[in-house]
Amino acid sequence: MSRSGLDAIADANGRFAVLAMDQRGTLRRMLTGAGRPAEDDDLKSFKVDVISALAPLSSGVLTDTEFGVSAVRAAGAIPEGVGLLIAAEPVEKEKYGEEYRNVRDPLRTAAWVRENTGDAVKFLVYWQPDRVAQEGEPDLAAETMDVVRAVVEDCRAEGVPSVIEPLVSFAPGHTPTDEERFEAVILSAKRLATLKPDLLKLEWPGGADGCRRVTEALGDVPWALLSAGVGYEAFVERCITALDAGASGIIAGRAIWKEAVDLDGDERRAFLADVAVPRLQGLVDVLAKHGTSWREVGA
């Protein structure tokens, strides 16, 4: 029986154990930095290996159409019952000076995600939610709100869940303190929640208090924690904290599989089986004991 809405990417308890494997430029840089081949076929092969190993434990897989979807579908890497989220933000990010400027690719719609066998749209934005536009320059924060609103409305019209991933990005020349960054993560979540996306994929908001503030600010919008490449043990602790404070799951990648970029072929597959699979199983076990079903949040 097929599942619809957020249930398509959630487990039976309404929690998210989503494997993130949508990195494109980042993955190419990681492979190059490790001295590994990084041509298009190398990225596809990497994604097939990672998703083949980890998708069976996941409630959903997040990947891209450039190197992921066709390759992993051809390999049969996503089992029946595991949902597919597709990255719909433009591959090349636009900028105003040195700051990101968020736009939509008019071809990457909710219908396009459906056509590519996806169950949900993931849309990434970089922004500073409290940025004030100076005279003569664009209002980048307002533009971001407009772009996300359009994505959410398109998804709602098409009946496809919208998963919005805001990453806080400060103006050049300003190095934020940890407290400033955490406050920006919370404000970002609060502002975007007013647009009613189906799910927010959020950065770490600093601790238990920050996680509680996020949950309170979001109201009936559920959220999942991203890993941002932190070490596995640190991510487990963050997960427990976030889940106990109201999060509904995780959408995580590098904390689980990042060392695989140093390996090729059988060695890589052995690492994924012997290390990455137990890591993800550990996170799945955490989700069995912690967290709030998205259904309860949205009720």
Side-chain angles (χ1 to χ4, degrees):
M1 179 177 175
S2 63
R3 299 174 297 164
S4 61
L6 285 178
D7 277 332
I9 59 171
D11 65 19
N13 296 316
R15 296 177 177 85
F16 305 101
V18 175
L19 169 67
M21 189 68 263
D22 61 324
Q23 295 81 0
R24 287 155 285 185
T26 299
L27 179 58
R28 200 184 298 275
R29 288 190 294 273
M30 290 174 72
L31 290 168
T32 300
R36 301 293 170 184
E39 300 301 321
D40 289 359
D41 285 347
D42 300 307
L43 271 66
K44 292 176 183 178
S45 175
F46 187 91
K47 287 172 184 277
V48 168
D49 283 351
V50 170
I51 292 172
S52 295
L54 298 173
L57 289 174
S58 307
S59 66
V61 170
L62 165 60
T63 193
D64 55 282
T65 57
E66 288 73 30
F67 311 111
V69 174
S70 295
V72 300
R73 287 297 194 197
I78 302 179
E80 182 82 20
V82 176
L84 175 63
L85 299 78
I86 294 180
E89 67 274 359
V91 178
E92 298 296 327
K93 307 298 186 291
E94 291 196 14
K95 287 193 171 184
Y96 171 73
E98 295 182 50
E99 297 178 84
Y100 288 105
R101 191 171 194 175
N102 295 299
V103 299
R104 292 180 72 200
D105 181 333
L107 299 179
R108 292 175 174 249
T109 62
W112 169 83
V113 165
R114 281 282 195 229
E115 290 164 6
N116 281 279
T117 74
D119 298 295
V121 169
K122 190 276 295 189
F123 195 86
L124 166 71
V125 294
Y126 290 93
W127 76 322
Q128 183 177 337
D130 60 353
R131 184 189 187 280
V132 177
Q134 302 301 311
E135 184 176 355
E137 66 180 16
D139 190 335
L140 299 181
E143 286 184 355
T144 298
M145 291 290 288
D146 289 342
V147 166
V148 173
R149 181 181 294 106
V151 171
V152 171
E153 290 176 352
D154 174 50
C155 287
R156 191 175 295 129
E158 190 68 27
V160 177
S162 55
V163 181
I164 305 300
E165 178 183 7
L167 298 182
V168 171
S169 177
F170 286 83
H174 177 63
T175 302
T177 64
D178 285 346
E179 182 178 358
E180 285 178 310
R181 173 166 289 280
F182 297 145
E183 288 296 323
V185 169
I186 296 167
L187 177 61
S188 170
K190 183 176 182 178
R191 291 200 66 191
L192 292 174
T194 65
L195 304 177
K196 298 299 182 183
D198 291 290
L199 178 66
L200 281 169
K201 176 189 178 187
L202 298 178
E203 298 176 274
W204 175 242
D209 181 63
C211 292
R212 283 191 293 269
R213 288 173 61 199
V214 164
T215 299
E216 290 167 4
L218 298 193
D220 59 358
V221 176
W223 68 284
L225 183 68
L226 60 84
S227 69
V230 299
Y232 174 72
E233 296 299 334
F235 185 59
V236 171
E237 292 302 314
R238 287 184 177 187
C239 285
I240 294 171
T241 300
L243 293 166
D244 285 347
S248 294
I250 59 169
I251 302 179
R254 286 172 291 168
I256 301 166
W257 53 255
K258 63 183 174 183
E259 297 95 327
V261 299
D262 296 317
L263 306 169
D264 286 321
D266 290 342
E267 284 188 319
R268 182 165 72 204
R269 288 184 283 273
F271 165 83
L272 291 167
D274 297 341
V275 179
V277 166
R279 283 178 178 174
L280 182 53
Q281 183 62 60
L283 291 167
V284 169
D285 292 344
V286 166
L287 282 166
K289 300 175 182 177
H290 303 266
T292 305
S293 168
W294 79 265
R295 302 183 205 109
E296 295 176 34
V297 176

